[in-house]
Amino acid sequence: MWKKDCDRFEYLQTLVTEFQDTDSDEAKEQVLANLANFAYDPKNTEHLRQLQVADLFLDMLTEDNDNFVEFGIGGLCNLSMDPECRDLILQSDAIPLVTNCLSSPREETVLSAISTLMNLSTPLSRPRISDVAILECMLRFSLCESPRLRNLAHVFLQDCCSEEQVIQAQQGMAGQTQTALGIPLPKD
């Protein structure tokens, strides 16, 4: 068992090194996609935490390459399910970076961003996650044609916000067009 665990760490370390050493965007995308997938398996969480992969994923959220952003937020979403990783991500002041992903034209990126915000929700972080701009964005998503986006927005509003907050956000949006605070709806 120990040998397999050691091999797993070395393999993940090789991926991180490959990402850092290559100049090829295509190779970086492949490595990021692999790391994001490995972040889904709890057996890899400790190794990914040791390798500071959450920071790598966070760095990708500010890239111009939409694939980097999509794989970065997907990996962050997977890691944020672990309480220790969640706390590390919150300490990195990730909420604004994750929130920026809500304006992505890619539905997968937006879905991962919403899920990540839900995973990052703690009693201390909830006031930032249930900010009025985010609530208004979720209210707009809840009217979206995409069933996945619409349903996830409803879950966010139920799980991360009080009924009073939702009502206040709805009242604040009354009479507005379906764009608010610079967060456009993703393309369906």
Side-chain angles (χ1 to χ4, degrees), residues 89-103:
I89 293 166
L90 285 169
Q91 290 169 13
S92 298
D93 199 30
I95 293 173
L97 294 172
V98 173
T99 302
N100 286 340
C101 292
L102 295 173
S103 64

Side-chain angles (χ1 to χ4, degrees), residues 42-131:
K43 292 177 185 174
N44 298 320
T45 303
E46 179 59 34
H47 301 311
L48 294 171
R49 196 169 35 244
Q50 287 176 7
L51 294 167
Q52 300 176 329
V53 172
D55 290 337
L56 174 71
F57 290 147
L58 282 168
D59 288 344
M60 295 303 100
L61 302 186
T62 59
E63 291 291 324
D64 291 332
N65 181 319
D66 287 340
N67 289 331
F68 286 2
V69 175
E70 181 176 332
F71 299 140
I73 191 65
L76 203 62
C77 180
N78 290 338
L79 280 181
S80 66
M81 292 187 285
D82 174 76
E84 285 184 57
C85 286
R86 177 200 62 216
D87 293 343
L88 288 172
I89 293 166
L90 285 169
Q91 290 169 13
S92 298
D93 199 30
I95 293 173
L97 294 172
V98 173
T99 302
N100 286 340
C101 292
L102 295 173
S103 64
S104 172
R106 291 189 174 189
E107 184 172 304
E108 289 302 320
T109 300
V110 175
L111 291 167
S112 292
I114 295 170
S115 298
T116 303
L117 287 171
M118 290 172 29
N119 292 342
L120 294 177
S121 184
T122 67
L124 285 175
S125 66
R126 189 162 288 132
R128 290 180 291 152
I129 289 173
S130 61
D131 177 78

Side-chain angles (χ1 to χ4, degrees), residues 104-183:
S104 172
R106 291 189 174 189
E107 184 172 304
E108 289 302 320
T109 300
V110 175
L111 291 167
S112 292
I114 295 170
S115 298
T116 303
L117 287 171
M118 290 172 29
N119 292 342
L120 294 177
S121 184
T122 67
L124 285 175
S125 66
R126 189 162 288 132
R128 290 180 291 152
I129 289 173
S130 61
D131 177 78
V132 69
I134 295 173
L135 263 67
E136 288 179 359
C137 181
M138 293 305 154
L139 286 168
R140 287 193 328 281
F141 288 154
S142 73
L143 303 173
C144 187
E145 287 183 33
S146 164
R148 294 177 353 158
L149 191 52
R150 184 175 61 240
N151 291 338
L152 191 57
H154 280 292
V155 171
F156 179 95
L157 291 168
Q158 289 172 354
D159 290 357
C160 297
C161 312
S162 70
E163 192 175 330
E164 180 180 294
Q165 287 175 307
V166 174
I167 290 169
Q168 286 178 338
Q170 287 170 329
Q171 289 171 345
M173 289 178 63
Q176 290 183 9
T177 60
Q178 289 305 313
T179 60
L181 302 169
I183 303 176

